[in-house]
Amino acid sequence: MQFNYVNPTRILFGEGEISQLGKELPQDARVLVIYGGGSIKRNGVYEQLQSALSEHQWFEFSGVEPNPTVETLDKAVAKVREHEINYILAVGGGSVIDGSKYVAAAAPYTGNGWDILEGKHTVDQAVPLAAVLTLPATGSESNAGAVITRASTHEKRVFHTPLVQPKFAVLDSSVMATLPERQLINGIVDAFVHVCEQYITYPTQAWVQDGYAEALLKNLLRLGHEYDQRATREWQDNLMWSANQALNGLIGAGVPHDWATHMIGHELTALYGLDHARTLAVVQPALLRQMIHDKREKLAQCGQNVFGLTPGDDLAERTIDAIEDFYHQLGVATTLKGNEIEDPEAKNKILAALEKHGLTALGERQKITLEQSAYIIDGFIS
Ligand code: NZQ
Ligand code: ZN
């Protein structure tokens, strides 16, 4: 084990914590509040913001869409420059927070912001940013990553820099009351796969990371099994905190990572507009089956410690079936066809996109070449 770990995001967790925003922001902050399509105006979050920011100078930018596009976000960049904004407050789910990270990084850069996603510009400064989370799923509220779409070319790309990690994040689970069922389920699935990407690789004897990953997976399974309790504070708090911990860097410190399910999944969203979490449920079971020889030991460990399966030669196979059953129990399909996507050109399009984006050696051992991806795609088309 060898790593250099810090998570610098202060977490304000619990009901009513939005009221603390004013104290956390610098007195002289000129704040741009960035939000999405308006859910915050229907669940009381916007009113809470207004009162929390009453001592501050603030402006707003709305209309960040799910799978945020650079086309929309560049308008927010212009607003940051126009109003000399020196603090950004993202209020929403992963899309709004990721989009705000792009705005924070692109505003001080004089070139084309998309350069950041293509690795042509290394971010060297960013407007400070904080988040109010309204949808537990991505962990974006306390990590350094963002995923941005360019609608004009159907591309979805990732960038990471500690400069855009939120300074603080408010996690008040009572704001989840207005979440549509589809988004709640997406949150469980996305967080579940985040843990798997950092855990179902190969054994490393990292007992702390493995043990904590297993605790998070068990929580997420329980949230799925107790889905009828979703209106309770207990259920909401536990999803919000589990999803946060799944991708705040801790379980991933000093262990191998996979992320191939995510990379292939991003291409599916870019091509077909399918929700992020739904793409993961499509790709992951097929990928685990294709890579079973490399992942056998960790799959078996997961089967025993998370799903309580009995030992045996086929434990890894049964673990993959159990993961897939879990998605099915949540009503989530695990094929493209199950998501009503039937495109005879799907395989070629996905492979071409992976190649274009240099995603030709994925997974914890970089063994997922285009040839392997082709087999994985065969496994999830129908
Ligand atoms: O736009 P509004 O009106 O707010 O509505 C949103 C949106 O339509 C709605 N919503 C959010 N909170 C709500 C609510 N509706 C009612 N009540 C509330 N409290 O939910 C819809 C979906 O929101 P979105 O932010 O798109 O969902 P999610 O949090 O799942 O984010 C997905 C995005 O995050 C990226 C994904 O690729 C995708 O673009 N990811 C970011 C990661 C990261 N930064 O670390 C990692 C992830 O793996 C993921 O790739
Ligand atoms: Zn994800």
Side-chain angles (χ1 to χ4, degrees):
M1 247 192 277
Q2 190 163 21
F3 56 84
N4 182 328
Y5 172 74
V6 64
N7 189 312
T9 304
R10 176 178 296 281
I11 303 286
L12 287 76
F13 196 100
E15 189 164 13
E17 290 294 324
I18 297 176
S19 64
Q20 301 303 311
L21 274 176
K23 289 189 204 138
E24 294 293 326
L25 291 164
Q27 274 307 311
D28 61 348
R30 287 170 65 81
V31 183
L32 182 63
V33 173
I34 299 185
Y35 58 98
S39 68
I40 67 164
K41 295 223 166 145
R42 294 188 292 274
N43 59 12
V45 171
Y46 188 81
E47 285 78 5
Q48 291 182 62
L49 281 178
Q50 280 180 312
S51 85
L53 294 175
S54 60
E55 310 274 297
H56 282 86
Q57 247 199 313
W58 62 286
F59 304 83
E60 61 183 76
F61 181 88
S62 64
V64 176
E65 59 279 79
N67 307 309
T69 66
V70 71
E71 286 87 348
T72 298
L73 298 169
D74 280 336
K75 294 179 192 152
V77 169
K79 201 151 188 175
V80 168
R81 293 178 184 149
E82 180 194 347
H83 296 293
E84 297 178 347
I85 296 297
N86 59 18
Y87 217 104
I88 292 174
L89 184 62
V91 186
S95 294
V96 167
I97 302 172
D98 284 7
S100 299
K101 289 175 175 176
Y102 168 85
V103 175
Y109 173 54
T110 49
N112 180 353
W114 188 251
D115 290 349
I116 298 168
L117 282 304
E118 290 194 328
K120 291 183 188 158
H121 168 63
T122 305
V123 178
D124 51 9
Q125 51 177 319
V127 180
L129 150 115
V132 176
L133 182 68
T134 66
L135 193 177
T138 63
S140 184
E141 67 278 8
S142 65
N143 70 36
V147 194
I148 308 296
T149 295
R150 183 162 69 174
S152 61
T153 52
H154 292 280
E155 284 175 281
K156 190 170 199 209
R157 308 292 305 268
V158 182
F159 80 99
H160 289 94
T161 164
L163 292 167
V164 299
Q165 173 140 357
K167 306 286 178 210
F168 66 91
V170 180
L171 277 65
D172 172 353
S173 76
S174 65
V175 307
M176 292 165 63
T178 49
L179 270 174
E181 304 265 315
R182 184 175 177 90
Q183 299 301 341
L184 269 185
I185 287 171
N186 284 353
I188 297 174
V189 173
D190 193 18
F192 192 90
V193 179
H194 290 162
V195 179
C196 295
E197 299 271 30
Q198 302 163 85
Y199 165 71
I200 304 181
T201 56
Y202 52 83
T204 54
Q205 302 307 327
W207 299 347
V208 172
Q209 292 89 326
D210 276 6
Y212 197 24
E214 288 163 6
L216 292 171
L217 291 177
K218 281 195 275 192
N219 278 356
L220 292 160
L221 278 184
R222 178 171 172 184
L223 289 161
H225 294 146
E226 297 178 8
Y227 188 67
D228 59 343
Q229 300 296 308
R230 63 193 174 281
T232 64
R233 177 57 39 80
E234 190 179 298
W235 194 97
Q236 292 168 349
D237 276 353
N238 280 301
L239 176 55
M240 202 168 238
W241 191 227
S242 299
N244 175 274
Q245 297 291 292
L247 196 47
N248 77 341
L250 182 58
I251 61 167
V255 299
H257 290 205
D258 182 341
W259 297 113
T261 293
H262 268 72
M263 292 304 126
I264 301 171
H266 288 163
E267 303 299 357
L268 297 182
T269 302
L271 287 167
Y272 302 108
L274 187 60
D275 295 1
H276 171 65
R278 308 278 157 161
T279 70
L280 304 178
V282 165
V283 178
Q284 192 203 28
L287 185 143
L288 294 176
R289 290 192 176 104
Q290 180 62 25
M291 304 312 290
I292 195 163
H293 296 299
D294 286 343
K295 293 179 179 288
R296 186 168 286 284
E297 284 158 291
K298 289 304 284 282
L299 278 166
Q301 182 181 331
C302 176
Q304 256 186 292
N305 295 352
V306 177
F307 289 93
L309 301 178
T310 49
D313 290 346
D314 62 346
L315 181 52
E317 284 82 354
R318 282 184 283 126
T319 303
I320 301 172
D321 292 345
I323 292 172
E324 190 166 31
D325 283 349
F326 178 54
Y327 301 149
H328 291 163
Q329 282 160 26
L330 292 170
V332 175
T334 51
T335 60
L336 276 186
K337 192 171 178 200
N339 285 287
E340 288 163 23
I341 297 168
E342 294 187 65
D343 175 6
E345 282 303 306
K347 185 170 169 180
N348 291 339
K349 287 184 191 166
I350 300 162
L351 289 174
L354 289 170
E355 185 167 25
K356 179 174 179 200
H357 298 142
L359 303 172
T360 55
L362 297 171
E364 64 273 17
R365 296 190 197 269
Q366 292 83 51
K367 277 195 187 167
I368 305 184
T369 56
L370 288 181
E371 192 186 358
Q372 291 296 325
S373 288
Y375 289 123
I376 294 167
I377 296 165
D378 286 339
F380 67 61
I381 284 208
S382 55

